[in-house]
């Protein structure tokens, strides 16, 4: 490169700029308002909640459902509990972690919220949790399933209130599959952390009970054409295929290929919460009658609490039946209400501690409590798609695993000593 | 110096003074972090603006260069390395990635150049997912710390203001230099420059390296701001928004990038709080700017100012710091620009 | 891994995906290759066609009606975009980029507002149902139908381009605008027509594709990316190039996912990068 000939003016401005920058960074004294020590929240009569969810973008439907579930609770029960009014501010992060962080900062620094609920996706959730723990603001997770939120990245301000960690939710699926007499299994999961954790959970449950996972397939995020993977499942010829998605379009996309290649009657299938949720049932209808899935939410469960919840949701949302995202939002709201009912206005680490002390006998998710890492311990259901009396399709429990925790049969210390789940490490010996 | 230059200079100094005073006149840490985001996006857009404006090479892969640098810093920070090493790693990765981009795209131009840079960007995106032991895969890397001396939000803000000024001045100097003039010559007519004996490939590679280095710097700054990096930063959506920022502000102008960045960031983060259909608003802004202010916001302002100025306009296009970019009158033949090498 | 049934299935998977890509890419290669218009809103046209086609096919049970509705609405939209917006920036790459990105943003967001966030797919009643079974091999008829449609459209396009007067006019107009204008042809309207045809092809792709790939928020960027890759490989402006490119990418994608899954991400972009490095104009492109 030629030497750049600087005009005197150019040189002059360059030097000034550099000097100014250096001087500023090193000698400026703190402006007013620089100390940001947890004086968040207004008076003790209002609990301000910042709710982050991807209401637009690829996960719009799930994001909106999460918001709807939370709002539904307060609409039914009123926003005032024990003299405290709950005020919610909803922010859209479009599934983008940078946006989630900006919204979280805005909620904490501008709106002075007492706690942040959400966001939905695993990567956005981890980013926000890392931030909120540095500013002493509680972060509740209704749906996010990243293992580390309540394992390696667990802290006093983060609690998973409506969902389970990826491996936790799917482990009982493996146990059930083995108990049903299946000897071999093949797994198909998305090729990122949620998928690795889910398949690891299933695989460990399956192999610890006498089965053998003969092949594992991973599909890239954003796959819409599953025909290749269905072909591979077919050629693996295992007794049962375990397939997970993170919700949204991949569920119906996979099933369509599955039926199209003729496997509908010949290949036993176990799916996860999100691939066989209500959106999929709406899309595919009677074709999926009798299909099995594993999840901590079952809208067809025979319980008054669940029925009331379903009816309330159906009334507000055109007869639709709630999915896991709705249940997560609703569950979170009911936990917060419980805490306020018992203790009045609480925030900070006290709020998280109070939530972790709750034990609910009959929540919409069943009997629920929390472990020391602020993770939900609750039943996991093996569900079957059935048509109930109202003519609609519901995921109905055919088997229940009570009080499932996130450790998959190990002690916390043993589990945390293991590396994160990945394509190469699935927790198997 | 003529009157416009003096007015321009005064305006710039006033803006700098305002930027410095901001934390003391009541701007909250939230507002400052918003401005910080704009400054970093402005730096990244400026790096692309140099390449597009002076070099005539529109790249859809700059987001990925910044992301690669960000990942370098993120990994180094989590591995416990000190600041100096982190910066060195970021620099190393940036240079390597920029060089790869440059070498692989040198034979192409126009739309093909766009596509090669897009492809390379997607490769980086894919690697961010694939090398999950280093990059954390889809979860990304969180909890990245920035150096002690800028750990406060307001000291970091000043650091960003300073960085932005330095980058702007630097790019301006390069643009005014003989190197910049040669770049513009190559942009306007490659064949002519080649016949004059210039090694077109080396110049383009050089321009790419400069642009890439600044993009990498922006990546470093962004991870210091958000303490977080994930594959989304390397994705196509980010890179499309970047080139949109450049065009929106005015290709080839000095302040176009920051204005374009400001519009996009503000709509994405502030307007979205009150308007649900904010993507529509953003799209409409793009359309309206093209219809009524084709040279971009800053470009059109400059054009307007020039037209209103009395007296003959004797400045040849391209020699001043006015927009000489790719927004000529509509009858210009495009065949030369759509060359393949 | 190499059993005949598996190979046959994967080949068909690849071909049907390639057929879908061709529907997408054929429109784009005409607009892009011949008229040199950078239309980043092509994916948005696909999206409108998809959503409308699915909704209408769902209401009427008739796929053809769905396709026609999609094509009609998209044609009108494309007409408006071209006449009101694109004409002002014809020939200027970067303004075209910004303009079409803006259109894409607006369309995508409005689709979200109107159709919601649920993924939409063609209802089974509107699709060609059932599967073809030859021995042990079962393959859905609908995917074979997609291959058929793609072949039909490809032949039609080539015939029009090479055998009809309008095709000759278009090719001449691209090579030398002034002469063709001097001959009394209103080249402006010809180009508008081409733009509409390109958009209509995308709309058809959207409706038919909705039986294979669901339509959901974000689909417009996904399909645009695929279409760009295909036409770059095939060469801008070449329908046969788009066909070859589509088949190539479809097959590579299907087999790579089965045989080298670690590189599944890169199977779309690696071929493109290789072609660009070795033959920058694409396989069938013309050096302008």
């Amino acid at each position: 490169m030629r030497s750049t000939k600087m005009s005197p003016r150019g040189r002059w401005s360059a030097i000034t700029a550099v000097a100014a920058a250096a001087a500023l960074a090193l000698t400026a004294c703190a402006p007013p308002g620089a100390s940001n020590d947890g004086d968040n929240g207004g008076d003790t009569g209002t609990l301000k909640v910042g709710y982050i969810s991807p209401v637009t973008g690829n996960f719009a439907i799930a994001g909106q459902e999460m918001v709807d579930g939370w709002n539904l609770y307060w609409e039914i029960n009123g926003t005032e509990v024990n003299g405290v009014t709950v005020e919610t501010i909803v922010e859209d992060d479009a599934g983008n972690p940078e946006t989630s962080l900006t919204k979280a900062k805005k909620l904490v620094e501008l709106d002075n919220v007492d706690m942040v609920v959400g966001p939905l996706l695993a990567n956005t959730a981890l980013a926000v949790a890392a931030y909120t723990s540095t500013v002493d603001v509680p972060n509740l997770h209704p749906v996010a399933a990243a293992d580390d939120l309540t394992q390696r990245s667990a802290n006093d301000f983060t609690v998973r209130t409506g969902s389970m960690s990826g491996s936790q939710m799917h482990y009982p699926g493996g146990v059930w599959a083995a108990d049903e007499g299946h000897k071999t299994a093949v797994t198909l999961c998305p090729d990122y952390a949620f998928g690795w954790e889910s398949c690891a959970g299933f695989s460990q449950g399956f192999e610890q009970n006498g089965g053998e996972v003969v092949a594992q397939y991973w599909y890239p995020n954003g796959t819409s054409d599953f025909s290749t993977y269905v072909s591979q499942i077919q050629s693996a010829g295992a007794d049962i295929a375990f397939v997970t998605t993170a919700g949204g379009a991949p569920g119906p996309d996979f099933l369509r290929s599955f039926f199209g290649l003729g496997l509908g009657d010949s290949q036993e299938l176990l799916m996860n919460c999100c691939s066989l949720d209500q959106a999929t049932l709406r899309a595919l209808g009677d074709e999926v009658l009798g299909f099995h899935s594993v999840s901590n939410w079952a809208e067809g469960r025979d319980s008054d609490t669940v029925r009331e919840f379903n009816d309330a949701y159906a009334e507000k949302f055109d007869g639709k039946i709630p999915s896991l995202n709705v249940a997560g939002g609703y569950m979170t709201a009911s936990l917060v209400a419980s805490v306020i009912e018992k203790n009045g206005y609480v925030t900070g680490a006290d709020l998280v501690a109070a939530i972790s002390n709750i034990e609910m006998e009959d929540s919409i998710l069943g009997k629920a409590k929390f472990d020391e890492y602020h993770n939900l311990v609750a039943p996991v259901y093996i569900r079957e798609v059935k048509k109930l009396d109202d003519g609609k399709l519901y995921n109905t429990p055919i088997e229940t695993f009570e009080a499932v925790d996130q450790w998959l049969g190990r002690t916390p210390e043993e589990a945390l000593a293991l590396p994160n789940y990945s394509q190469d490490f699935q927790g198997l010996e | 110096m003529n009157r416009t230059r003096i007015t321009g200079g005064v305006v710039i100094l006033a803006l700098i003074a305002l930027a410095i005073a901001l934390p003391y006149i009541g701007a909250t840490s939230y507002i400052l972090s918003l401005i910080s985001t704009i400054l970093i996006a402005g730096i990244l857009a400026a790096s692309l603006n140099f390449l597009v404006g002076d070099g005539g090479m529109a790249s859809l892969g700059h987001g990925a260069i910044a992301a690669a640098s960000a990942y370098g810093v993120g990994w180094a920070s989590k591995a416990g390395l000190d600041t100096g090493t982190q910066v060195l790693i970021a620099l190393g990765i940036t240079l390597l990635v920029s060089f790869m981009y440059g070498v692989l795209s040198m034979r192409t131009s126009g739309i093909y150049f766009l596509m090669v840079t897009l492809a390379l960007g997607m490769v980086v995106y894919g690697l961010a997912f694939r090398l999950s032991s280093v990059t954390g895969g889809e979860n990304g890397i969180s909890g990245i710390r920035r150096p002690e001396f800028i750990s406060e939000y307001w000291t970091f803000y000043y650091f960003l203001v300073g960085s932005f000024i330095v980058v702007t001045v630097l790019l301006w100097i390069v643009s005014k230099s003989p190197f910049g003039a040669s770049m513009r010559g190559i942009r306007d007519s490659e064949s002519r420059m080649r016949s004059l004996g210039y090694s077109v490939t080396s110049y383009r590679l050089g321009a790419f390296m400069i642009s890439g280095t600044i993009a990498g710097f922006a990546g470093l700054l962004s991870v210091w701001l958000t303490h977080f990096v994930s594959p989304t930063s390397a994705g196509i959506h980010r890179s499309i928004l970047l080139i949109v920022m450049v065009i929106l502000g005015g290709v080839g102008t000095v302040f176009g990038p920051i204005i374009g960045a400001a519009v996009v960031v503000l709509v994405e983060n502030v307007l979205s709080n009150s308007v649900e259909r904010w993507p529509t608003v953003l799209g409409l802004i793009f359309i309206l700017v093209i219809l009524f202010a084709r040279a971009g916001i800053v470009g059109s302002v400059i054009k307007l100012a020039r037209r209103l100025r009395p007296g003959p306009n004797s400045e040849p296009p391209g020699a001043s710091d006015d927009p000489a970019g790719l927004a000529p009158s509509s009858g210009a033949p495009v065949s030369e620009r759509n060359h393949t090498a | 891994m190499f059993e005949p049934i598996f190979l046959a299935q994967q080949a068909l998977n690849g071909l049907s995906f390639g057929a879908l890509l061709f529907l997408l890419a054929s429109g784009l290669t005409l607009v892009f290759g011949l008229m040199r218009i950078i239309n980043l809103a092509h994916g948005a046209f696909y999206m409108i066609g998809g959503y409308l086609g699915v909704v209408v096919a769902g209401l009427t049970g008739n796929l053809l009606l769905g396709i026609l509705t999609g094509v009609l609405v998209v044609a009108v939209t494309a007409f408006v975009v071209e006449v009101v917006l694109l004409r002002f920036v014809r020939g200027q790459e970067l303004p075209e980029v910004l303009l079409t990105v803006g259109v894409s943003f607006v369309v995508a967001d409005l689709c979200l507002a109107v159709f919601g966030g649920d993924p939409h797919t063609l209802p089974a009643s509107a699709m060609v149902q059932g599967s073809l079974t030859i021995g042990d091999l079962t393959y859905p008829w609908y995917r074979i139908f997609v291959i058929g449609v793609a072949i039909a459209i490809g032949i039609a396009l080539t015939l029009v381009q090479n055998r009809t007067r309008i095709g000759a006019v278009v090719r001449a107009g691209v090579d030398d605008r002034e002469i063709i204008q001097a001959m009394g042809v209103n080249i402006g309207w010809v180009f508008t027509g081409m733009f509409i045809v390109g958009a209509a092809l995308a709309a058809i792709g959207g409706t038919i594709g909705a039986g294979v790939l669901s339509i959901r928020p974000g689909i417009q960027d996904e399909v645009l990316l695929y279409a760009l890759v295909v036409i770059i490989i095939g060469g801008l402006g070449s329908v046969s190039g788009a066909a070859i490119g589509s088949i190539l990418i479809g097959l590579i994608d299907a087999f790579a996912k089965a045989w080298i899954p670690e590189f599944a991400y890169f199977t779309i972009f690696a071929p493109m990068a290789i072609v660009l490095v070795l033959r920058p104009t694409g396989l069938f492109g013309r050096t302008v």
Side-chain angles (χ1 to χ4, degrees):
Chain A
M1 272 194 294
R2 308 273 157 89
S3 61
T4 61
K5 210 172 81 138
M6 280 202 210
S7 64
R9 218 185 111 216
R11 220 180 315 166
W12 179 85
S13 24
I15 293 176
T16 324
V18 175
L24 284 170
L26 295 174
T27 64
C29 38
S35 56
N36 187 20
D37 35 273
D39 51 338
N40 288 319
D43 52 296
T44 53
T46 316
L47 185 76
K48 268 182 142 186
V49 176
Y51 204 94
I52 308 180
S53 192
V55 195
T56 61
N58 288 354
F59 295 89
I61 185 80
Q64 186 59 52
E65 286 181 342
M66 200 172 99
V67 173
D68 291 340
W70 169 271
N71 284 336
L72 186 66
Y73 181 87
W74 303 114
E75 276 169 29
I76 298 178
N77 298 292
T79 53
E80 208 182 296
V81 184
N82 199 1
V84 178
T85 313
V86 175
E87 188 190 315
T88 309
I89 306 174
V90 178
E91 292 292 351
D92 169 31
D93 72 352
N96 178 354
E98 284 152 25
T99 315
S100 308
L101 269 175
T102 315
K103 297 294 169 146
K105 280 192 191 162
K106 175 230 176 221
L107 287 167
V108 168
E109 295 168 14
L110 194 65
D111 298 315
N112 286 323
V113 296
D114 294 294
M115 64 185 199
V116 172
V117 182
L120 185 140
L121 298 177
N123 54 345
T124 59
L126 282 170
V128 170
Y131 164 68
T132 51
S133 56
T134 59
V135 288
D136 292 359
V137 170
N139 187 205
L140 279 54
H141 292 278
V143 176
D147 272 5
D148 272 353
L149 277 176
T150 51
Q151 291 183 14
R152 292 162 195 84
S153 303
N155 55 63
D156 288 333
F157 295 93
T158 306
V159 56
R160 207 196 307 262
T161 49
S163 64
M164 295 190 162
S165 77
S167 51
Q168 175 187 14
M169 214 189 319
H170 301 106
Y171 179 79
V175 176
W176 173 82
D179 288 345
E180 289 284 299
H182 300 294
K183 295 267 173 293
T184 53
V186 59
T187 69
L188 176 69
C189 283
D191 193 13
Y192 69 105
F194 174 66
W196 302 328
E197 290 166 6
S198 304
C199 271
F202 172 86
S203 304
Q204 288 175 77
F206 192 64
E207 291 213 342
Q208 282 170 17
N209 288 281
E212 189 201 335
V213 175
V214 295
Q216 293 195 291
Y217 301 119
W218 311 96
Y219 62 90
N221 241 350
T223 297
S224 32
D225 185 8
F226 283 83
S227 44
T228 311
Y229 301 103
V230 174
S231 298
Q232 291 178 66
I233 289 179
Q234 184 177 27
S235 68
D239 291 335
I240 187 166
F242 175 65
V243 175
T244 71
T245 74
D253 286 342
F254 169 80
L255 284 169
R256 245 181 297 275
S257 287
F258 188 74
F259 290 127
L261 284 167
L263 293 182
D265 296 317
S266 54
Q267 174 71 56
E268 185 70 31
L269 190 61
L270 177 69
M271 300 187 82
N272 74 332
C273 57
C274 322
S275 46
L276 208 58
D277 65 2
Q278 278 293 320
T280 307
L281 297 185
R282 285 195 288 269
L284 280 131
D286 288 355
E287 281 182 272
V288 286
L289 269 175
F291 272 50
H292 297 123
S293 53
V294 56
S295 170
N296 63 323
W297 161 247
E299 64 269 22
R301 188 160 66 93
D302 187 16
S303 133
D304 289 331
T305 328
V306 171
R307 266 188 286 275
E308 271 169 36
F309 172 58
N310 288 350
D311 290 339
Y313 184 73
E315 201 183 303
K316 187 145 190 275
F317 291 95
D318 288 332
K320 280 205 237 180
I321 305 165
S323 71
L324 181 59
N325 306 307
V326 183
Y330 188 89
M331 178 76 172
T332 308
S334 56
L335 284 168
V336 170
S338 270
V339 165
I340 306 177
E341 185 71 50
K342 212 157 74 163
N343 307 325
Y345 174 89
V346 245
T347 185
D350 295 332
L351 177 62
V352 175
I355 290 181
S356 300
N357 281 330
I358 293 184
E359 287 189 25
M360 290 176 99
E361 277 301 317
D362 189 27
S363 73
I364 54 175
L365 297 178
K367 184 165 166 189
K369 64 178 168 69
F370 293 86
D371 66 15
E372 331 80 70
Y373 286 77
H374 312 301
N375 187 42
L376 191 66
V377 176
V380 170
Y381 307 101
I382 306 294
R383 325 176 301 179
E384 188 178 302
V385 180
K386 291 193 180 155
K387 192 175 278 199
L388 296 186
D389 296 332
D390 60 358
K392 296 197 192 140
L393 297 173
Y394 287 77
N395 282 303
T396 315
I398 55 172
E399 190 161 327
T400 306
F401 289 80
E402 296 288 351
V404 177
D405 67 29
Q406 60 178 324
W407 307 116
L408 311 189
R410 300 188 176 92
T411 66
E413 295 71 37
E414 282 174 344
L416 290 176
L418 295 172
N420 284 95
Y421 292 123
S422 66
Q423 271 201 19
D424 307 309
F425 176 67
Q426 288 275 294
L428 305 170
E429 268 81 70
Chain B
M1 288 196 191
N2 57 39
R3 214 179 318 151
T4 329
R5 289 267 166 92
I6 298 178
T7 334
V10 166
V11 169
I12 292 174
L13 281 172
L15 284 172
I16 294 181
L18 179 65
I20 294 174
L22 220 46
Y24 296 97
I25 54 174
T28 60
S29 69
Y30 170 69
I31 293 183
L32 286 187
S33 91
L34 202 58
I35 298 182
S36 302
T37 311
I38 294 177
L39 286 170
I40 296 177
I43 293 177
L44 189 51
S47 75
L48 186 57
N49 179 49
F50 168 67
L51 201 63
V52 178
D54 282 346
M57 304 184 268
S59 153
L60 271 184
H62 267 52
I65 302 179
S69 161
Y71 269 110
V73 173
W75 174 83
S77 162
K78 294 302 259 194
L81 301 172
D82 65 275
T83 312
T85 325
Q86 287 179 34
V87 174
L88 277 177
I89 291 182
L91 183 64
I93 292 183
T94 305
L95 290 174
L96 184 67
V97 173
S98 306
F99 185 70
M100 303 263 348
Y101 265 68
V103 161
L104 289 171
S105 62
M106 276 310 109
R107 286 187 67 193
T108 59
S109 59
I111 179 61
Y112 297 100
F113 181 81
L114 205 71
M115 292 307 295
V116 169
T117 50
L118 170 67
L120 293 171
M122 294 309 289
V123 168
V124 172
Y125 178 71
L127 285 175
F129 274 101
R130 195 98 290 285
L131 303 175
S132 54
S133 49
V134 168
T135 65
E138 185 245 7
N139 290 351
I141 306 178
S142 46
I144 302 168
R145 308 265 80 170
R146 60 174 173 250
E148 269 308 307
F149 76 96
I150 40 173
S151 62
E152 286 293 320
Y153 75 90
W154 50 277
T155 46
F156 189 56
Y157 165 75
Y158 284 134
F159 183 74
L160 286 177
V161 172
S163 304
F164 178 75
I165 295 175
V166 168
V167 165
T168 307
V169 169
L170 220 74
L171 284 174
W172 182 78
I173 290 175
V174 172
S175 186
K176 301 280 278 171
S177 73
F179 178 78
S182 312
M183 285 311 307
R184 285 190 290 279
I186 293 175
R187 176 199 71 200
D188 286 336
S189 176
E190 217 177 285
S191 41
R192 198 178 304 148
M193 294 300 278
R194 212 170 276 158
S195 61
L196 285 174
Y198 283 82
S199 163
V200 168
T201 318
S202 339
Y203 271 88
R204 287 176 133 200
L205 192 59
F208 209 108
M209 296 301 293
I210 297 176
S211 171
T213 310
I214 300 193
F217 180 51
L220 168 77
L221 293 175
S222 91
V223 80
W224 277 353
L225 178 68
T226 59
H227 308 292
F228 174 76
V229 62
S230 84
T232 320
S233 350
I236 172 146
H237 193 73
R238 288 269 116 210
S239 287
I240 288 185
L241 275 180
L242 262 180
I243 206 159
V244 156
M245 286 179 199
V246 170
I247 306 174
L248 195 64
V251 177
T253 63
V254 177
F255 293 104
I258 188 79
I259 298 288
V263 170
V264 173
V265 171
L266 288 174
V267 171
E268 261 191 346
N269 291 306
V270 176
L271 192 65
S272 60
N273 293 335
S274 35
V275 177
E276 199 184 325
R277 300 261 75 87
W278 60 269
T280 306
V281 172
L282 198 56
L284 285 173
I285 292 179
F286 298 162
I287 295 176
L288 290 172
V289 163
I290 286 301
L291 286 183
F292 299 110
R294 195 159 324 144
I297 297 175
V298 174
S300 304
V301 166
I302 294 181
K303 265 188 173 175
L304 206 66
R306 255 204 270 161
R307 216 179 295 161
L308 294 177
R309 195 194 319 151
N313 179 2
S314 58
E315 301 199 37
S320 64
D321 56 351
D322 286 340
L326 293 173
S329 57
S330 42
V334 257
S335 49
E336 287 213 287
R337 270 191 259 301
N338 286 343
H339 266 167
T340 56
Chain C
M1 265 298 165
F2 287 94
E3 314 87 53
I5 301 289
F6 184 68
L7 288 178
Q9 267 182 347
Q10 294 297 39
L12 282 170
N13 287 339
L15 285 175
S16 53
F17 186 49
L20 194 58
L21 290 180
F22 177 72
L23 289 174
L24 279 174
S26 54
L28 194 59
T29 202
L30 290 179
V31 166
F32 209 160
L34 296 183
M35 305 195 299
R36 301 288 172 182
I37 295 181
I38 300 187
N39 179 21
L40 295 183
H42 196 72
F45 292 145
Y46 178 93
M47 193 182 209
I48 300 177
Y51 274 123
L52 277 173
V54 166
V55 166
V56 170
L59 290 175
T60 63
N62 187 326
L63 182 60
L64 192 60
L65 224 66
I67 296 178
L68 287 175
T69 320
V71 167
L72 199 65
V73 172
V74 166
V76 169
T77 313
F79 178 76
V80 169
V81 167
E82 210 277 334
V83 168
V84 173
L85 301 175
L86 277 177
R87 276 210 188 170
F88 288 102
V89 295
R90 191 169 288 161
Q92 299 165 51
E93 289 175 357
L94 293 180
E96 275 173 3
V97 166
L98 189 58
L99 196 57
T100 50
V101 168
V103 170
S104 182
F105 269 48
V106 173
V107 167
D109 197 40
L110 290 180
C111 280
L112 179 63
V114 172
F115 298 105
D118 260 342
H120 281 63
T121 34
L122 277 184
S125 52
M127 285 172 39
V128 180
Q129 311 205 35
S131 304
L132 169 70
T133 315
I134 306 178
D136 279 335
L137 174 68
T138 310
Y139 206 72
W141 270 118
Y142 189 76
R143 287 181 151 243
I144 299 178
F145 168 68
V146 171
I147 298 180
V149 169
I151 295 179
I153 289 187
I155 294 178
L157 280 177
T158 320
L159 284 177
V160 168
Q161 198 176 16
N162 295 334
R163 300 287 169 88
T164 66
R165 194 165 164 265
I166 191 78
V169 166
V170 168
R171 277 180 291 137
V174 165
D175 279 341
D176 198 326
R177 229 174 138 142
E178 276 140 15
I179 301 254
I180 245 299
Q181 275 176 315
M183 284 167 62
V185 175
N186 187 335
I187 198 70
W189 287 119
V190 171
F191 275 17
T192 306
M194 289 304 305
F195 189 76
I196 295 179
V197 168
L201 285 169
I204 296 177
T207 309
I208 295 190
V212 172
L213 227 70
S214 42
I215 310 285
R216 69 286 179 120
I219 190 81
Q220 80 281 13
D221 286 337
E222 241 179 87
V223 300
L224 179 67
L225 207 55
Y226 280 132
L228 284 174
V229 170
V230 166
I231 67 174
I232 291 291
I233 290 185
L236 298 183
S238 164
V239 170
S240 34
I244 304 283
S246 312
I247 296 176
L248 202 64
I249 292 288
L251 288 173
I252 291 178
D253 190 59
F255 282 104
K257 279 186 179 141
W259 289 336
I260 41 168
E262 314 83 56
F263 297 105
Y265 274 126
F266 306 112
T267 58
I268 300 291
F269 298 99
M272 174 170 86
I274 293 173
V275 166
L276 279 177
V277 169
L278 296 177
R279 220 192 114 85
T281 38
L283 294 174
F284 290 85
R286 322 140 54 187
T287 325
V288 170

